[in-house]
C-alpha cells in the first residue's frame, strides 16, 4: 500500500519541483505558478485516486491475496491523504521561494511530530490507524500552511 501511495505522491512532488524552478526565476508570478501547480496536480491526482479506490484491491492482488485483504484499507486512507500531501508539497514550495525557512522547518517538523503523536492514538485500528495518523498530520499541517500563506498574506514566520 505504501509503495502504491508513494507512486501517487510523486505527482505533487514533481509538480512542486517544477513550480520551484519556475518560481525561483520570477517570484512576481508566484500566484500563477501556484494555481497552475494545484490545477495540474488535481487533474492528475483525482483520476489516480479514483483508480486506486475502485481497483485498489485488484492492484494489491498482484502482490498476493493477503496483501489485497490486509492492505486495502490502508491504501484507501493513503489515497484520501493525497490532496493534503499535494497542498503540503506545493505550499512548502511557496515557502521556499519566499525564503520563509522558519515556517518551512516548522511545517516539516510539525508533520513528523503530529504524525508520531497521532499514531499512538490510532494504532488500535491496525495498519489503517497509521494511515489515519498520517492523514490527520497532513490535514493539520495543511491548515497551518493555508493560514501562513493566505490568512496572514505575506507574513513572515
Amino acid at each position: 500500500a505504501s509503495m502504491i501511495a508513494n507512486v501517487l505522491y510523486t505527482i505533487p512532488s514533481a509538480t512542486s519541483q517544477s513550480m520551484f524552478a519556475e518560481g525561483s526565476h520570477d517570484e512576481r508570478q508566484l500566484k500563477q505558478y501556484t494555481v497552475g501547480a494545484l490545477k495540474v496536480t488535481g487533474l492528475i491526482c483525482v483520476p489516480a485516486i479514483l483508480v486506486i479506490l475502485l481497483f485498489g484491491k485488484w492492484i494489491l492482488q498482484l502482490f498476493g491475496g493477503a496483501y489485497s485483504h490486509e492492505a486495502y484499507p490502508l491504501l484507501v486512507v493513503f489515497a484520501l491523504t493525497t490532496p493534503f500531501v499535494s497542498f503540503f508539497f506545493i505550499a512548502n514550495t511557496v515557502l521556499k521561494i519566499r525564503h520563509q525557512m522558519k515556517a518551512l522547518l516548522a511545517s516539516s517538523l510539525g508533520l513528523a511530530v503530529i504524525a508520531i503523536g497521532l499514531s499512538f492514538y490510532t494504532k488500535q485500528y491496525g495498519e489503517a490507524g497509521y494511515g489515519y495518523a498520517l492523514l490527520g498530520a497532513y490535514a493539520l499541517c495543511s491548515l497551518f500552511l493555508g493560514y501562513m500563506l493566505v490568512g496572514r498574506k505575506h507574513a513572515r514566520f
Side-chain angles (χ1 to χ4, degrees):
S2 64
M3 285 180 12
I4 294 169
N6 282 327
V7 170
L8 187 59
Y9 298 161
T10 60
I11 298 165
S13 176
T15 305
S16 64
Q17 287 177 4
S18 175
M19 183 186 130
F20 180 68
E22 293 171 349
S24 294
H25 293 292
D26 188 6
E27 193 174 329
R28 295 172 305 194
Q29 295 185 24
L30 184 57
K31 183 177 181 179
Q32 292 88 344
Y33 296 142
T34 303
V35 170
L38 289 168
K39 284 181 182 177
V40 168
T41 301
L43 287 171
I44 299 170
C45 283
V46 169
I49 292 167
L50 291 173
V51 166
I52 288 174
L53 294 177
L54 294 173
F55 303 108
K57 283 187 179 185
W58 293 282
I59 294 170
L60 287 169
Q61 287 212 349
L62 296 171
F63 301 100
Y67 280 105
S68 179
H69 178 71
E70 298 287 329
Y72 181 68
L74 180 58
L75 181 59
V76 167
V77 175
F78 282 158
L80 296 175
T81 304
T82 304
F84 297 110
V85 171
S86 300
F87 184 81
F88 183 84
F89 282 13
I90 292 170
N92 274 335
T93 301
V94 171
L95 293 175
K96 277 190 248 181
I97 292 169
R98 288 185 181 168
H99 305 286
Q100 291 180 275
M101 296 302 139
K102 289 180 183 176
L104 180 64
L105 178 63
S107 71
S108 297
L109 184 61
L111 178 72
V113 169
I114 293 168
I116 292 168
L118 287 176
S119 68
F120 286 107
Y121 294 103
T122 59
K123 66 183 177 182
Q124 64 189 356
Y125 300 106
E127 290 85 9
Y130 296 109
Y132 297 143
L134 195 64
L135 173 63
Y138 273 110
L140 289 171
C141 287
S142 292
L143 287 172
F144 167 75
L145 288 166
Y147 173 73
M148 287 301 302
L149 297 174
V150 178
R152 293 180 64 189
K153 292 285 179 191
H154 297 284
R156 297 284 174 191
F157 186 75

